[in-house]
Structures are given as structure tokens and as C-alpha cells.
């Protein structure tokens, strides 16, 4: 997040732009590319697909987030995941060779990208922790707790935006939409959080949310 | 892997060394550090812990691998995971500020670290895929297939080193050691792989291994 301001897209002649409509698939797993993709508008869903079409959501990207790091930095030319536009999406595309030029010109960029990748790695490892050590209710509570924590709003009464669709949340937590809906309802009815019609989430009982996230009654 | 040759540890005065015995915990979750840690000898296990002491293994590090990227690049001072020495371990430690100096002196280093982090992110996302979309047998088959793929040995008769202990494999695949042992035995008895006493694994039937990894009979 916050990697490159949108203005840089216009300044640098190294960058090409492309745009996509909501629902459009930007890349399919196995598609070839040597580009670095920076989101300058909209939301992009990055996911793995199983042969039967089941989806494991890896992350949702917003403005300032990027993908394609594997082809640019590790020299792999085939994206191992799907990228799908969740809204109107504008991307800035930078070729691998141009990325080298760009990093040479602006060394501070390397640090920014390293910071962003360290953050992404932390989030991927959090998801591994959720999937490996928690049942569905615990995963959901842990993800909600993470959202409040990342926003720095850990006190009762705190309000954060909550843009997750239940479908995406189910694909992220490796469960069904019904299960997400039921557990979310239970956490809300217990007076721990409240969801508003304006896609906001209110924290009502931090201590019990933390207890739910820590309590991992698997097996 | 292969990030910095061991010699660089000796050359750079910015680097301090520390060593650990097998079984020693190097860092506990929540421990404070502003260092970047490079493994110059041995194997390190990086894992998340649940409150009841259950372990989710995130990755095994070897010579040339690093950890602490969060504190150095993203400014987070508390490691969110445990680092444990699986053998005698020597680490090179570099302070955050010294890392800046080092990257200024040797810009190519930034690319190497970016490449290593892109690779780690790819592996973390593969593990998410395994946990989210596959049952235990499928996860095991997929991990074995990845090992042969990474070694570039995809033909029947290929031999690779296989250093995983069943305990670690169970903690990686979020299952029990008994289950790993049973499924590994089944895959071996089916004539798909063979394990040797020298900790090597022989690929006997690539097509069926791939079929096992793709066949994800969950739910």
C-alpha cells in the first residue's frame, strides 16, 4: 500500500496503463508476463484456483498495491494465481528491464517495495496461521481483530470500514459462504461487533473478540 | 537462498555473529529486535504458536536464508513468529541502520533480497493454497511435487534429498504426525515415491503424484 502515488504513473514514460471493468479477469494462472503491475484505481482480487474451480483468495489489492513481483524480481514468467477486477480497475504496467532503470534512478523505491513485500509476507503468514491453527469461528474473529489492529482502533466503540463481501471472506477463510454468514451473525448477536448498512464495523467488546480469536478449539 | 555468501559475513564489519545449539529457541513470538538475521550455518525453523502450544510451521531456513525482514524493512520491532535452531546454527546479524548502509554500498543486494522475498511470498502462498484447497493427502502430494519441481527433477527415477522430519511436516501441513506417517506410507506403497535410508526421495510415478496433488476431495 502507498507504494507509488498515482502521479508517478503519469510522469514516468516507462509506464503503460491499462484498464479493466468490474468482473474482468486480468490474468489467469499460468498466463505469461514480465511486468510489474501497480493498482492506480479500484480493487483487485488475487486467488488460487483448484481444478474443480474452488477458489482460495490470497489477498485483495487496493490503490498503491502491486502484483507481478515474481516475474520482475525472481524471473518467473508465469503468474501462479488469478487476478480479477472487483471494480473498475486501472493498472500501471512496468516491464522488468524498465523496473531496473526505475530502481537505479530512485533507490528509495527499493526500500519501499521491500517494506511492502515484508508486509505482504507477514499477511500471508498470518493467513497460514489462521488456516492452520484455528477453526472457522476463530479464523473469522482473528481476521476481524487484525482489521481493527491494523487500523490502530482497538478500543470499544471504534469504527472501521468493512468492505469484504461474504463470498470473498469465505474464499479467504477456506470455508463456505453459509458458514461465514452464520459465524458472523453469532459474533454480532453476542454483542462483540456490529455491522452497519454503510459497510462499517463497530467494535463493541475487544476482550471477547480477542478471546474468540485466541480460543482455537480444533480437533 | 543463496543470498550472501558466508565470506561476506567475515568481510563486513557491520555484521555481528551469534551461534545456537540444536533445539535452542533463537526468538520467541513478541521478542523485540531491529536486526536482520542471515543463516550462515545450520537449519532454522520458523513457526507460529497457538495459545495451547500447537505449532504451525511457516518455513525451514537453510544457509543463505534470512529472517527479521519485518523489523528491518517494515519497521516492526516485534517478531510475530518463533525461530528455533534445528541443528547447530550460526547467524549473521545486521542492524536496520547498517542494512541501509549496506544497501547503499551494494545496490545489487536490494535486487537479491527482493528476489528472495518474492520467492518466499510465492512459497507462503503455495502453503495457503495447500491448506485451503486440499485434504491432508493432497497437501502432502502437492508439497512432494513442489520439492521435485523446485529441484528441476520431474522425470521418473529422479532423486532428491528429503530432510523433512515427519513432526515438522505435520506442523507444516496442519495435521498430526500419525496422519503424515500413514499418508506417506500409502503414497509409497502405491509405488509413487520411495524414501531411502539416506534421507533421499525417489520419484517413481510423476503422473500419479500430480494426479494426487490435483485431486482435492475436500468436503
Amino acid at each position: 500500500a502507498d507504494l507509488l502515488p498515482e502521479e508517478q504513473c503519469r510522469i514516468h514514460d516507462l509506464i503503460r496503463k491499462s484498464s479493466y471493468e468490474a468482473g474482468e479477469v486480468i490474468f489467469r494462472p499460468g498466463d505469461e508476463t514480465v511486468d510489474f503491475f501497480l493498482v492506480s484505481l479500484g480493487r483487485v482480487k488475487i486467488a488460487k484456483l483448484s481444478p474443480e474451480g474452488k477458489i482460495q483468495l490470497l489477498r485483495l489489492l487496493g490503490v498503491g498495491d502491486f502484483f507481478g513481483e515474481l516475474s520482475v524480481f525472481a524471473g518467473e514468467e508465469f503468474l501462479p494465481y488469478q487476478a480479477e477486477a472487483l471494480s473498475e480497475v486501472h493498472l500501471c504496467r512496468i516491464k522488468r528491464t524498465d523496473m531496473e532503470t526505475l530502481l537505479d534512478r530512485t533507490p528509495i523505491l527499493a526500500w519501499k517495495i521491500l517494506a511492502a513485500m515484508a508486509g505482504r509476507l507477514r499477511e500471508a503468514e498470518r493467513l497460514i496461521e489462521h488456516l492452520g491453527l484455528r477453526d472457522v469461528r476463530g479464523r473469522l474473529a482473528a481476521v476481524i481483530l487484525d482489521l481493527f489492529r491494523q487500523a490502530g482502533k482497538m478500543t470499544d466503540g471504534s469504527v472501521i470500514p468493512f468492505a469484504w463481501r461474504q463470498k470473498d471472506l469465505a474464499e479467504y477463510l477456506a470455508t463456505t459462504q453459509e458458514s461465514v454468514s452464520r459465524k458472523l451473525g453469532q459474533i454480532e448477536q453476542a454483542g462483540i461487533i456490529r455491522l452497519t448498512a454503510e459497510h462499517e464495523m463497530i467494535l463493541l467488546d475487544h476482550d471477547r473478540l480477542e478471546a474468540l480469536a485466541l480460543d482455537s478449539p480444533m480437533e
Side-chain angles (χ1 to χ4, degrees), chain A:
Chain A
D2 202 39
L3 187 66
L4 273 175
E6 219 263 325
E7 307 89 68
Q8 299 218 15
C9 285
R10 287 190 290 263
I11 297 168
H12 289 287
D13 51 327
L14 305 177
I15 293 169
R16 289 162 299 138
K17 300 190 86 169
S18 51
S19 46
Y20 302 85
E21 289 167 29
E24 207 173 335
V25 172
I26 301 168
F27 268 93
R28 288 191 167 71
D31 278 1
E32 198 171 353
T33 180
V34 291
D35 288 357
F36 185 81
F37 297 84
L38 195 69
V39 180
S40 64
L41 179 79
R43 283 160 68 82
V44 175
K45 173 169 160 177
I46 305 288
K48 297 272 190 179
L49 307 183
S50 82
E52 315 90 73
K54 275 184 65 178
I55 295 171
Q56 173 63 47
L57 200 159
L58 293 176
R59 56 187 185 277
L60 294 180
L61 308 184
V63 173
D65 291 327
F66 56 82
F67 65 99
E69 69 290 337
L70 262 178
S71 40
V72 172
F73 301 119
E76 298 200 7
E77 299 185 353
F78 303 96
L79 285 187
Y81 43 69
Q82 172 161 300
E84 181 192 343
L86 289 184
S87 61
E88 187 190 342
V89 163
H90 293 180
L91 297 180
C92 300
R93 304 172 60 136
I94 309 168
K95 269 190 207 307
R96 188 196 295 161
T97 47
D98 292 339
M99 197 69 196
E100 293 180 31
T101 312
L102 207 56
L103 287 191
D104 276 349
R105 280 192 209 164
T106 44
I108 186 71
L109 241 179
W111 273 93
K112 283 193 174 185
I113 296 176
L114 281 167
M117 283 182 52
R120 275 238 313 257
L121 195 55
R122 176 197 51 208
E123 278 171 46
E125 291 175 350
R126 276 293 275 175
L127 180 54
I128 292 167
E129 177 183 1
H130 298 333
L131 295 178
L133 297 176
R134 296 185 173 88
D135 63 9
V136 173
R137 195 186 64 176
R139 287 175 201 176
L140 188 57
V143 164
I144 291 172
L145 194 64
D146 284 352
L147 290 174
F148 281 105
R149 192 179 283 145
Q150 282 157 21
K153 298 191 169 178
M154 304 282 276
T155 52
D156 293 347
S158 293
V159 182
I160 57 167
F162 184 70
W164 282 88
R165 299 180 304 177
Q166 290 194 359
K167 178 177 176 292
D168 295 326
L169 208 44
E171 290 169 2
Y172 189 66
L173 300 176
T175 186
T176 60
Q177 200 171 330
E178 293 68 39
S179 179
V180 163
S181 172
R182 197 169 54 244
K183 306 287 178 193
L184 207 51
Q186 287 169 4
I187 297 175
E188 198 168 8
Q189 273 158 37
I192 296 172
I193 57 157
R194 193 157 64 80
L195 291 163
T196 74
E198 294 77 34
H199 300 290
E200 289 178 331
M201 187 182 272
I202 307 171
L203 183 58
L204 298 179
D205 193 333
H206 172 269
D207 293 349
R208 278 166 69 213
L209 182 61
E210 192 155 66
L212 270 192
L214 286 176
D215 173 41
S216 37
M218 294 186 74
E219 285 157 65

